[in-house]
Amino acid sequence: MLPGSHRAAGLVDDEALVRAMLQVEVAWARVLGTSLSLGDWVPSLDPVEVEAAGNPVLPLVSALRARVSDPVHTGLTSQDVLDSALMLLARGVVERVSADLGRVADALAGLAEEHRSSVMAGRTLTQYAVPITFGLKAARWLVGVLDALEELEVVSRNLPVQCGGAAGTLSRAASVVDPVAAASAFAGHLGLVWPGMPWHTYRAPVTRVGDALVRVCDALGVMAADLLTLGRPEIGEVSEGAVAGRGGSSTMPHKRNPVLSVLVNSAALQTPQLGAQLHLCAARAVDERPDGAWHAEWPALRSLLELAVVAASQAAELVEGLEVHADVMARRAAGVAGELLAERGGGTDPASYLGAAESFVDEVLKRWRDDR
């Protein structure tokens, strides 16, 4: 069980996927001239039937045809339904992640403003470097989050419907409807984009989603890793907000583990490999419909969607409750002033050697305000 999976409940689980596939079938039925009314009905798919079909679409269509007498699925293929359904799931995930990243950005902007003059030791290659401010560090994290939000916005506007039929020609659909007009209408019913032709073996729509979510977790991972370092008891410059029941140990009663930082860091360590899996599948999408690469794509994409949702939600809670110990930072900086000011040739006041730190904070905060 993924720690925090409840944060993604209803977005990417099996029932959510079945609901999305039903939404696709209903939209296509409208294109064919039929209005289906299914209410809250969601069939329970037999895993044995899913295995026998090689994907979950045939069992879904069989259940749907047993329930309604109107034509359904005519002219589509399994990949049309599953790809389109996954794009619907991706849309919901992008919306949720963007909302939580907005919370992260707002909290980081507040930290950058509040601590623009809070002097701390800068560290490079794990060693003391020159003085910085915690506000500058927060502003750096904020830039990564704002960049990730921009990428998600682009992705959200370009999620495509899949509509190609058996081998990407819409030959069966052409016997009952104008295929190109039908594909465009299909996209409209689902709130997706018709890209002009099917993309059965052109998987950039999937890798674009994956890349954007990996970028999200990259940005959050840098922040989480920094907080884990700064929160070590021998450093003690930050700490996660205390929440009853969180961070305990099964054997050591004194511990208050930084659980949210650990889990966000964990997501950042997992998602790049999932993104790479999507690219590997894309590079092996052969013939007119792939023989396994497509099938290997679904679990990687769904895992990536879930991890991104969970990590963004955890990161928002983490930053909103973060405790910054500026007094500890200041004492440490003063105590190692000789090392921090060695570049300048010496001195005793780290605050006198901050360069353009506050100007950089101002620039990032201006971008944050403009993007809101």
Side-chain angles (χ1 to χ4, degrees), residues 7-371:
R7 297 173 186 261
L11 280 177
V12 296
D13 54 26
D14 287 348
E15 183 173 325
L17 180 60
V18 173
R19 286 185 181 278
M21 290 192 295
L22 278 178
Q23 188 177 346
V24 171
E25 292 288 359
V26 168
W28 185 248
R30 291 179 64 185
V31 171
L32 298 178
T34 300
S35 294
L36 298 183
S37 179
L38 301 176
D40 295 329
W41 177 72
V42 179
S44 179
L45 304 186
D46 185 341
V48 175
E49 293 181 7
V50 172
E51 180 187 30
N55 67 71
V57 178
L58 179 55
L60 176 82
V61 172
S62 297
L64 187 55
R65 285 174 172 161
R67 187 172 182 86
V68 301
S69 58
D70 298 300
V72 295
H73 196 71
T74 304
L76 292 184
T77 194
S78 296
Q79 190 169 350
D80 295 331
V81 176
L82 190 51
D83 280 354
S84 297
L86 288 169
M87 290 297 104
L88 293 178
L89 294 188
R91 181 174 64 194
V93 164
V94 168
E95 290 173 355
R96 177 76 67 80
V97 171
S98 296
D100 282 332
L101 283 190
R103 291 172 55 198
V104 174
D106 290 349
L108 288 177
L111 290 172
E113 180 62 55
E114 180 182 356
H115 294 284
R116 61 169 50 249
S117 301
S118 297
V119 178
M120 66 180 297
R123 298 170 175 92
T124 63
L125 304 181
T126 75
Q127 305 300 299
Y128 292 132
V130 296
I132 63 168
T133 68
F134 186 73
L136 178 63
K137 185 175 283 287
R140 287 181 185 141
W141 297 334
L142 178 54
V143 168
V145 171
L146 294 177
D147 284 350
L149 276 167
E150 287 183 359
E151 291 194 25
L152 290 177
E153 174 61 25
V154 173
V155 165
S156 70
R157 294 197 304 265
N158 294 283
L159 293 169
V161 76
Q162 181 71 277
C163 190
T169 64
L170 282 174
S171 51
R172 179 68 178 90
S175 67
V176 291
V177 291
D178 178 314
V180 176
S184 181
F186 184 37
H189 291 319
L190 292 172
L192 299 174
V193 174
W194 167 236
M197 67 180 298
W199 43 279
H200 288 158
T201 57
Y202 173 65
R203 308 308 291 171
V206 173
T207 57
R208 275 196 294 266
V209 171
D211 290 347
L213 294 177
V214 170
R215 182 70 173 271
V216 167
C217 292
D218 287 350
L220 299 179
V222 168
M223 180 183 72
D226 272 349
L227 292 176
L228 287 168
T229 297
L230 297 178
R232 287 176 174 270
E234 62 269 26
I235 298 177
E237 296 180 352
V238 300
S239 55
E240 289 191 11
V243 174
R246 177 181 292 161
S249 166
S250 62
T251 61
M252 293 172 282
H254 70 282
K255 294 194 74 179
R256 188 178 120 196
N257 294 316
V259 172
L260 293 179
S261 297
V262 168
L263 295 178
V264 173
N265 189 43
S266 170
L269 293 173
Q270 295 176 71
T271 51
Q273 285 75 23
L274 293 169
Q277 178 68 45
L278 298 181
H279 281 279
L280 177 60
C281 293
R284 293 298 304 275
V286 298
D287 297 328
E288 280 57 61
R289 302 261 305 288
D291 58 345
W294 177 57
H295 305 72
E297 188 183 80
W298 322 328
L301 178 60
R302 290 180 66 192
S303 294
L304 180 51
L305 293 172
E306 183 178 31
L307 277 167
V309 170
V310 172
S313 175
Q314 291 167 337
E317 186 175 347
L318 167 63
V319 182
E320 288 172 346
L322 188 67
E323 298 173 6
V324 180
H325 308 304
D327 55 334
V328 177
M329 294 176 180
R331 285 198 302 270
R332 175 163 290 109
V336 295
E339 294 175 64
L340 296 178
L341 299 173
E343 180 187 65
R344 187 176 67 179
T348 59
D349 182 12
S352 66
Y353 196 60
L354 293 173
E358 290 206 28
S359 295
F360 294 150
V361 170
D362 287 337
E363 285 298 311
V364 176
L365 290 177
K366 180 179 182 302
R367 177 185 171 189
W368 166 73
R369 285 190 289 268
D370 291 344
D371 288 351

